[in-house]
């Protein structure tokens, strides 16, 4: 069971309050709201768009610029053939269950988590322990019915332990295991109280579309990574054939490495001392959820983290999340369980030359960066060692080698079995299927070629598997193909690189950040604040003229021009509300600084600068204030330093 979520200041977090704020101030709103909305779809308003853009821009600086990544962009639609090859068509699925009464379809593991956690909260209440409710009682009673609510019902200690252990390893259950849990614990739909139709089944997560008048099958892309794999050869050429290198699309990056180099990273020592909270696979399987604080250098040395490159990007992800304002104590890295690796590994449908090695490499280590929210721990970033899987699959499907070729320092003598089709007879025999048959021959492993060489000599023919050609079996005679052992000198090394991939869920990071920086001022729950870091805040500076006196207008207009030339977003509030109320309603928009223009400004050109979090103010000339704002937003000076060197000002904070 996840710890209770708290505000930035450690207060109990009221989910209803933060979600009400975000919708009321139009950070986001349900899509087509006036038509009743559509579950899971949202429109971002002005502050939401700015916040998202600032998160993405910080991501771009932190990863693309600092890591010298090659950025590409691709269409939102991906052809069916690409996603068939990648495995998404067959295996990009969740386990779901259907409500026996109203037909609602819910994700099976999530509904089990919701119900069991609700029962554990009810047990805590029955034992007299304090439980902070994320929703008000009326909404909770309406939402939770039957045996799924948080009634103050004490459970046996053994049941509490069983529920806790089940929740700790919920991600490791397959469809049959989830069905068994639903039956065993009488899990019902929390919103209706109805039982579910069993067994649990899989539902593909992609949205199917068609392209053009020919209705070519395609999907809204489930990930941006595929475009990086498909363009690998172009990226390698752009990078002057130099390895390793990294590429990126908004929300996702990929680092291509030489598998024989031990996946070392030349900047690993820079982050070796960065500590993360790691929830290992072993701890989860023991029925616990206790994360351990460990430095990445120690984690890699001890084999807790598989290699330097994946360790490096775990650290970089941690530093990025903290940079945009997330609390490091509310970030953990959870290692995937074996069943989750199976969901990610799509290679089961493919026969590759080194499929076993691919499985071992890809399944070795994969973690999710999870953020603590009022919904519990939610996955925000996935960091996976995808091995050579994707490039190998696309090479096999297209016949185009997505490989790296490097000149060897010393020539290598190789003795191997070589299969050579007689193309003068091969083409007429197989016609349009020639390419598929040749690809199948090229994929034959050395031990298979050796066996087939003997079979060809003895019987004059061999049979190979070729999917989609004839009945899946193709007979090749000695007139069509020769398989002989040959010795050659190789001056060029050819290999398929491995990929380390961090993948970011911007929407989840957006919401989690809003929860973690939310708080209310002491003594006034109505005065809510979003303490975004200055670089992330939607608006940097609020301009507040004391009144609508015409003498203030040119000063406000000049400040607006000067600040915007510095690349700083501003907002003017010249309403009739008091200064305190105007500041307060911009505090809940997360605006870090406020400038007040008053009659003293008209006399001597000085203005006041207010800090959102402390509400303290300083007063100085326009040049000094603008310089302080620039330094503050860029992170080269904090408020304590500014308030220490500029004259303090008291006033203009009354409601």
């Amino acid at each position: 069971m996840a710890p209770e979520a708290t505000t930035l200041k450690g207060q109990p977090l009221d989910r209803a309050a933060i979600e009400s704020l975000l919708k009321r101030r139009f950070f986001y709103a349900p899509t087509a709201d006036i038509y009743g909305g559509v579950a899971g779809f949202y429109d971002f308003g002005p502050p939401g768009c700015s916040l998202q853009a600032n998160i993405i821009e910080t991501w771009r600086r932190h990863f693309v610029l600092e890591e010298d990544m090659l950025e590409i962009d691709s269409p939102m639609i991906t052809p069916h053939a690409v996603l068939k090859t990648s495995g998404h068509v067959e295996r990009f699925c969740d386990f779901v269950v259907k409500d026996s009464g109203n037909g609602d379809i819910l994700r099976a593991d999530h509904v089990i988590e919701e119900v069991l956690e609700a029962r554990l909260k009810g047990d805590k209440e029955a034992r007299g322990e304090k439980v902070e409710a994320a929703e008000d009682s009326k909404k909770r009673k309406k939402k939770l019915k039957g045996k799924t609510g948080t009634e103050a019902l004490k459970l046996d200690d053994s049941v509490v332990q069983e529920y806790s252990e089940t929740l700790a390893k919920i991600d490791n259950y397959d469809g049959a295991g989830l069905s068994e849990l639903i039956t065993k614990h009488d899990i019902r739909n929390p919103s209706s109280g109805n039982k579910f139709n069993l067994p649990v089944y899989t539902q593909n997560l992609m949205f199917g579309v068609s392209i053009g008048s020919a209705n070519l099958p395609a999907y809204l892309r489930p990930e941006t990574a595929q475009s990086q794999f498909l363009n690998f050869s172009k990226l390698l050429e752009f990078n002057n054939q130099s390895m390793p290198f990294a590429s990126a699309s908004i929300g996702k990056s990929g680092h291509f490495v030489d598998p024989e180099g031990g996946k070392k990273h030349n900047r690993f020592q820079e982050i070796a001392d960065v500590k993360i909270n790691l929830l290992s696979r072993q701890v989860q399987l023991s029925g616990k959820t206790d994360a351990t604080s460990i430095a990445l250098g120690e984690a890699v040395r001890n084999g807790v983290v598989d290699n330097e490159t994946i360790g490096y990007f775990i650290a970089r992800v941690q530093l990025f999340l903290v940079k945009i304002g997330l609390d490091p104590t509310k970030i953990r890295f959870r290692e995937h369980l074996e069943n989750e690796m199976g969901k990610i590994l799509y290679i089961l449908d493919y026969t590759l030359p080194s499929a076993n090695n691919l499985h071992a490499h890809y399944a070795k280590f994969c973690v999710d960066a999870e953020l603590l929210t009022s919904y519990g721990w939610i996955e925000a970033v996935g960091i996976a060692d995808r091995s050579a899987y994707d490039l190998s699959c696309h090479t096999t499907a297209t016949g185009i080698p997505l490989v790296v070729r490097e000149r060897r320092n010393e020539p290598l003598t190789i003795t191997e079995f070589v299969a050579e089709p007689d193309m003068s007879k091969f083409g007429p025999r197989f016609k349009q299927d020639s390419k598929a048959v040749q690809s199948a021959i090229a994929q034959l492993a050395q031990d298979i070629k050796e066996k087939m060489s003997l079979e060809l000599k003895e019987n004059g023919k061999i049979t190979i598997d070729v999917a989609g050609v004839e009945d899946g079996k193709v007979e090749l005679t000695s007139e069509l193909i020769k398989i002989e052992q040959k010795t050659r000198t190789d001056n060029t090394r050819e290999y398929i690189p491995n990929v380390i991939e961090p993948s970011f869920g911007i929407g989840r990071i957006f919401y989690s950040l809003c929860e973690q920086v939310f708080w209310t001022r002491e003594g006034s729950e109505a005065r809510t604040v979003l303490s975004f870091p200055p670089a992330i805040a939607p608006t940097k500076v609020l301009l507040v003229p004391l009144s609508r006196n015409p003498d203030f207008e040119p000063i406000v207009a000049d400040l607006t021009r000067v600040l915007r030339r510095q690349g700083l977003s501003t907002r003017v509030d010249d309403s009739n509300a008091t200064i305190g109320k105007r500041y307060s309603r911009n505090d809940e928009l997360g605006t870090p600084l406020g400038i007040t223009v008053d009659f003293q400004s008209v006399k001597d050109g000085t203005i006041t600068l207010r800090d959102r979090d402390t509400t303290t103010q300083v007063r100085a000339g326009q040049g000094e204030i603008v310089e302080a704002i620039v330094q503050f937003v860029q992170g080269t000076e904090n408020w304590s330093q500014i308030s220490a060197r500029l004259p303090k000002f008291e006033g203009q904070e009354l409601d």
Side-chain angles (χ1 to χ4, degrees):
M1 203 174 144
E4 294 293 339
T6 58
T7 68
L8 180 67
K9 303 296 184 181
Q11 306 150 321
L13 180 64
D14 183 349
R15 185 197 301 164
I18 176 65
E19 292 188 351
S20 172
L21 165 63
L22 295 176
K23 292 176 182 177
R24 175 169 51 83
R25 300 312 304 266
F26 199 15
F27 277 82
Y28 63 81
T31 296
D33 197 10
I34 61 175
Y35 283 91
V38 181
F41 290 82
Y42 295 91
D43 297 335
F44 287 97
C49 284
S50 295
L51 178 60
Q52 180 175 252
N54 292 340
I55 291 173
I56 291 173
E57 183 55 32
T58 303
W59 171 87
R60 181 177 276 112
R61 290 197 304 269
H62 186 83
F63 287 100
V64 179
L65 294 182
E66 291 186 30
E67 302 296 335
D68 196 22
M69 292 180 172
L70 309 178
E71 186 173 8
I72 66 172
D73 194 13
S74 59
M76 292 296 294
I77 293 175
T78 304
H80 172 90
V82 173
L83 297 173
K84 177 69 175 177
T85 298
S86 69
H88 285 80
V89 171
E90 300 296 330
R91 299 186 177 277
F92 192 63
C93 304
D94 275 341
F95 291 115
V96 297
V97 283
K98 188 173 184 179
D99 186 302
S100 61
N102 60 27
D104 282 352
I105 296 175
L106 304 175
R107 184 165 153 177
D109 57 339
H110 285 185
V111 75
I112 293 171
E113 282 183 296
E114 182 178 351
V115 172
L116 296 189
E117 286 186 348
R119 292 177 186 175
L120 289 174
K121 284 183 179 180
D123 174 74
K124 281 189 173 183
E125 289 181 352
R127 295 171 186 259
E129 299 178 32
K130 186 177 180 181
V131 177
E132 298 295 342
E135 301 169 276
D136 64 67
S137 58
K138 289 183 180 179
K139 289 183 179 180
R140 190 170 68 250
K141 287 176 182 176
K142 182 178 179 181
K143 179 180 179 183
L144 301 173
K145 298 182 179 181
K147 300 183 178 181
T148 59
T150 54
E151 299 93 342
L153 178 64
K154 185 177 180 180
L155 304 172
D156 290 341
D157 291 345
S158 60
V159 174
V160 171
Q161 182 177 350
E162 183 180 4
Y163 283 0
S164 299
E165 290 178 354
T166 298
L167 290 170
K169 50 189 176 183
I170 190 68
D171 294 307
N172 204 40
Y173 288 96
D174 58 13
L178 293 170
S179 295
E180 184 179 339
L181 288 175
I182 290 172
T183 300
K184 179 179 181 181
H185 300 303
D186 192 18
I187 304 294
R188 304 187 183 192
N189 188 343
S191 63
S192 68
N194 296 330
K195 288 189 174 185
F196 291 109
N197 292 330
L198 295 177
V200 165
Y201 63 97
T202 57
Q203 183 177 67
N204 195 283
L205 304 178
M206 295 191 295
F207 289 86
V209 297
S210 59
I211 302 174
S213 58
N215 291 322
L216 298 175
Y219 299 91
L220 293 182
R221 66 185 186 196
E223 63 175 10
T224 59
Q226 291 304 317
S227 63
Q228 297 176 57
F229 302 136
L230 300 181
N231 287 292
F232 170 75
S233 295
K234 299 180 183 69
L235 290 167
L236 181 63
E237 182 179 0
F238 183 86
N239 203 48
N240 299 319
Q241 303 296 325
S242 179
M243 286 285 292
F245 73 88
S247 64
S249 296
I250 290 177
K252 182 165 290 191
S253 57
H255 187 83
F256 297 90
V257 297
D258 183 346
E260 290 189 7
K263 300 182 183 176
K264 299 284 186 182
H265 197 286
N266 61 355
R267 296 181 60 187
F268 181 74
Q269 291 308 314
E270 296 177 22
I271 56 82
D273 294 330
V274 173
K275 288 190 173 182
I276 62 167
N277 298 316
L278 179 64
L279 178 56
S280 70
R281 181 185 299 179
Q282 290 74 20
V283 170
Q284 294 172 75
L285 291 176
S286 71
K288 299 178 181 178
T289 56
D290 303 318
T292 301
S293 177
I294 187 170
L296 266 305
E298 179 186 352
V300 171
R301 280 195 308 273
N302 296 342
V304 178
V305 171
D306 191 56
N307 58 71
E308 284 188 5
T309 296
I310 203 165
Y312 178 80
F313 281 103
I314 288 173
R316 292 293 291 164
V317 167
Q318 166 92 357
L319 295 172
F320 165 73
L321 294 174
V322 172
K323 180 184 289 186
I324 64 172
L326 289 156
D327 184 345
T329 67
K330 297 178 181 178
I331 303 171
R332 74 178 186 187
F333 290 83
R334 186 184 65 82
E335 184 181 1
H336 276 209
L337 299 174
E338 198 66 40
N339 189 54
E340 291 179 276
M341 304 303 288
K343 293 176 186 176
I344 295 171
L345 279 173
Y346 304 131
I347 68 173
L348 299 179
D349 290 340
Y350 299 88
T351 302
L352 301 176
S354 53
N356 290 332
N357 289 334
L358 287 176
H359 188 283
H361 279 292
Y362 196 28
K364 251 184 182 179
F365 199 80
C366 182
V367 295
D368 289 337
E370 296 184 332
L371 307 176
L372 182 60
T373 70
S374 62
Y375 292 92
W377 289 102
I378 63 171
E379 172 194 347
V381 186
I383 309 167
D385 183 345
R386 294 180 75 132
S387 191
Y389 164 69
D390 297 275
L391 296 178
S392 297
C393 287
H394 291 305
T395 293
T396 302
T398 64
I400 298 173
L402 302 175
V403 299
V404 177
R405 295 183 177 92
E406 296 176 342
R407 188 167 183 82
R408 296 183 184 276
N409 294 328
E410 297 290 338
L412 181 66
T413 300
I414 300 172
T415 301
E416 62 185 357
F417 283 88
V418 179
E420 296 179 331
D422 184 340
M423 298 310 298
S424 64
K425 299 177 181 177
F426 207 79
R429 165 66 177 83
F430 294 107
K431 297 183 174 60
Q432 71 271 16
D433 294 327
S434 292
K435 186 177 178 180
V437 178
Q438 289 177 62
S439 179
I441 294 170
Q443 298 301 320
L444 294 173
Q446 276 295 302
D447 58 338
I448 301 298
K449 288 180 181 178
E450 182 178 4
K451 180 181 177 181
M452 287 186 171
S453 173
L454 296 174
E455 187 177 343
L456 198 60
K457 289 178 182 178
E458 293 175 0
N459 303 326
K461 61 181 180 180
I462 56 173
T463 301
I464 65 170
D465 296 327
V466 185
V469 177
E470 298 177 357
D471 61 351
K473 303 282 186 182
V474 172
E475 184 177 277
L476 300 173
T477 66
S478 56
E479 294 180 350
L480 292 172
I481 190 170
K482 291 182 179 180
I483 303 178
E484 299 175 340
Q485 190 176 49
K486 295 186 177 182
T487 299
R488 61 184 174 87
T489 300
D490 191 354
N491 292 297
T492 302
R493 177 182 172 230
E494 182 178 287
Y495 66 90
I496 299 177
N498 282 204
V499 179
I500 307 297
E501 177 208 51
S503 175
F504 298 78
I506 298 299
R508 296 183 181 191
I509 292 173
F510 177 105
Y511 180 79
S512 301
L513 175 63
C514 291
E515 276 204 357
Q516 291 194 15
V517 301
F518 173 81
W519 58 287
T520 58
R521 297 204 187 276
E522 188 174 351
S524 178
E525 291 186 2
R527 297 184 67 187
T528 55
V529 184
L530 290 172
S531 288
F532 297 118
I536 301 299
T539 303
K540 312 306 182 192
V541 186
L542 171 69
L543 297 172
V544 184
L546 188 64
S547 67
R548 290 184 173 176
N549 189 304
D551 292 340
F552 299 153
E553 292 179 7
I555 300 174
V556 171
D558 185 53
L559 279 167
T560 300
R561 284 193 299 270
V562 170
L563 290 169
R564 288 181 179 174
R565 284 173 185 165
Q566 294 287 344
L568 300 171
S569 55
T570 63
R571 178 183 173 90
V572 177
D573 189 341
D574 58 358
S575 66
N576 291 323
T578 64
I579 290 287
K581 286 182 178 178
R582 282 186 272 172
Y583 276 138
S584 183
R585 63 193 181 195
N586 282 276
D587 289 345
E588 64 181 15
L589 285 173
T591 308
L593 297 170
I595 289 177
T596 301
V597 176
D598 55 18
F599 291 105
Q600 188 68 28
S601 306
V602 178
K603 289 182 180 180
D604 60 15
T606 62
I607 50 180
T608 68
L609 183 66
R610 172 191 181 268
D611 173 56
R612 172 198 61 208
D613 294 344
T614 64
T615 71
T616 57
Q617 300 182 65
V618 296
R619 186 168 198 120
Q622 177 178 311
E624 289 181 287
I625 292 296
V626 170
E627 180 188 0
I629 292 171
V630 171
Q631 300 294 327
F632 186 71
V633 172
Q634 291 179 347
T636 55
E637 194 171 27
N638 59 37
W639 182 253
S640 296
Q641 294 169 316
I642 292 172
S643 60
R645 67 177 178 80
L646 294 180
K648 287 184 173 61
F649 178 79
E650 296 182 6
Q652 300 172 346
E653 191 65 36
L654 298 175
D655 286 341

